[in-house]
Amino acid sequence: MRLIFWTGLWVFLLDQISKYYVVHWLGLINEADGRIEVWPPFLEFRMAWNRGVNFGLFADFDMRWVLVAVALIISAAVLYWLRKPRGSKWVYISAGFLIGGALGNVIDRIFYGAVADFLNMSCCGIDNPYAFNIADITIFMGAIGLAFLADDGKIKKKA
């Protein structure tokens, strides 16, 4: 559990620091078009307030507190599920990624009413309309890690 805590803490801090740096310190929130070119045409900071689920789904509905509750329930469920050994240290690191990212987005929803997304990657003449943040990346990595690295917790008998 200690590995989950420390991984989650560092992910949470990295997410919140990056959001503060880009949105407030670099002033992305004040840019007229909400864009700052970082590495054209591959990476730009593009301000997007995500009030919905992934890719802004259900953004027209006020889902703020529902999504906060869902993130907290999933985080608690992962912690409860990992109370028994479920595999290598990578399982616990994955859980820390998922929980730290989820809590980073929860803080955004509580304080801003939406998640601050700013990373936009495009390539080869394709203009990607979507933005994401570090929390989104770590939630994805954590979910994949838990899905593919965790075992069912049962003791395996050798033949």
Side-chain angles (χ1 to χ4, degrees):
M1 288 292 185
R2 192 177 342 183
L3 191 53
I4 296 172
F5 171 79
W6 285 109
T7 304
L9 176 66
W10 286 111
V11 164
F12 175 82
L13 291 174
L14 180 63
D15 173 64
Q16 290 297 300
I17 290 167
S18 69
K19 287 174 184 171
Y20 183 82
Y21 176 74
V22 172
V23 174
H24 297 289
W25 198 74
L26 288 181
L28 185 61
I29 198 168
N30 299 323
E31 289 292 319
D33 64 351
R35 296 175 185 223
I36 297 173
E37 289 189 348
V38 178
W39 185 28
F42 303 108
L43 176 65
E44 74 176 2
F45 294 152
R46 184 182 295 180
M47 193 69 242
W49 292 103
N50 185 355
R51 290 174 175 26
V53 194
N54 292 12
F55 305 110
L57 292 172
F58 309 114
D60 295 335
F61 304 101
D62 185 11
M63 307 239 341
R64 174 183 184 179
W65 298 111
V66 172
L67 294 173
V68 165
V70 167
L72 294 175
I73 289 168
I74 290 172
S75 297
V78 167
L79 285 173
Y80 179 77
W81 181 63
L82 288 174
R83 73 192 188 289
K84 294 180 183 174
R86 299 283 178 185
S88 72
K89 70 178 181 177
W90 295 106
V91 172
Y92 298 93
I93 291 171
S94 296
F97 278 2
L98 188 141
I99 292 169
L103 295 178
N105 283 345
V106 161
I107 291 298
D108 285 7
R109 290 191 192 282
I110 290 171
F111 289 108
Y112 299 122
V115 174
D117 290 335
F118 60 89
L119 293 170
N120 176 268
M121 301 190 78
S122 297
C123 178
C124 314
I126 298 170
D127 184 31
N128 176 14
Y130 300 107
F132 54 95
N133 59 42
I134 290 174
D136 297 337
I137 296 166
T138 61
I139 290 168
F140 178 78
M141 289 172 46
I144 294 296
L146 289 175
F148 290 106
L149 299 175
D151 61 23
D152 61 3
K154 296 178 182 174
I155 298 173
K156 295 179 175 124
K157 296 181 181 179
K158 294 184 180 182

